[in-house]
Amino acid sequence: MKFMDVHHGMSGITAEQLRAAHAADAAVEAEEGVHFEQAWADPDSGTVYCLSEAPSREAVQRVHRRTGHPADEIHPVPLSV
Amino acid sequence: MKFMDVHHGMSGITAEQLRAAHAADAAVEAEEGVHFEQAWADPDSGTVYCLSEAPSREAVQRVHRRTGHPADEIHPVPLSV
């Protein structure tokens, strides 16, 4: 199932920091059965969105916790267009 | 520039309703210089995320207003991975 998770409080995040966070997630995601497909960041509001394919909300959060950036919201998004 | 907009209060949205909303946006988006690339919906929480390429936040909202579903949040997302 696909999930969209949201991180707040990331004001000023740089392209390099986004890449590093994504790379950290990518390094451990397989152990949780998760794949982070895309991520987008708004440095002004400090919001980061991550789209993943994962077995559960909890699995998404386990990856983000292991890499030091737990999500503030995790929504299953079974519908897409 | 890319934007992520968010709609709340869409509880129970169906795949058909998401496709119809996306099609309505697609029918007028060019007049505002906008292109909606992808959208994802969580029927349980009533949240819809739309990713677009657009000249401004206001242009994104003009399309959504014209098609009857203004966004609750519109974030520029200059960074992606």
Side-chain angles (χ1 to χ4, degrees):
Chain A
M1 178 174 279
K2 289 207 188 295
F3 291 85
M4 183 74 81
D5 69 76
V6 187
H7 305 252
H8 300 294
M10 307 291 281
S11 295
I13 187 172
T14 65
E16 180 52 39
Q17 289 170 328
L18 182 66
R19 278 194 297 269
H22 187 71
D25 287 340
V28 304
E29 64 181 18
E31 296 170 17
E32 304 289 354
V34 175
H35 177 56
F36 285 98
E37 299 180 349
Q38 296 181 77
W40 302 268
D42 173 11
D44 286 345
S45 71
T47 312
V48 177
Y49 300 92
C50 302
L51 181 71
S52 61
E53 175 73 35
S56 68
R57 175 187 270 124
E58 291 71 26
V60 173
Q61 191 68 304
R62 278 195 296 272
V63 175
H64 279 331
R65 283 193 189 285
R66 286 176 62 176
T67 56
H69 44 259
D72 296 298
E73 305 171 42
I74 304 177
H75 294 285
V77 284
L79 307 183
S80 64
V81 64
Chain B
M1 177 176 277
K2 289 207 188 295
F3 292 85
M4 184 74 80
D5 69 76
V6 187
H7 306 253
H8 300 294
M10 307 291 281
S11 295
I13 186 170
T14 65
E16 180 52 38
Q17 288 170 330
L18 181 66
R19 277 194 298 269
H22 187 71
D25 288 341
V28 304
E29 64 181 18
E31 296 171 19
E32 305 290 354
V34 175
H35 177 54
F36 285 98
E37 299 180 348
Q38 296 180 80
W40 302 268
D42 173 12
D44 285 345
S45 71
T47 313
V48 176
Y49 300 93
C50 301
L51 181 71
S52 62
E53 175 74 35
S56 69
R57 176 187 269 126
E58 291 71 24
V60 173
Q61 191 67 307
R62 278 195 297 273
V63 175
H64 279 331
R65 283 192 189 286
R66 287 176 61 177
T67 55
H69 44 258
D72 296 299
E73 306 171 41
I74 304 177
H75 294 284
V77 285
L79 308 182
S80 64
V81 64

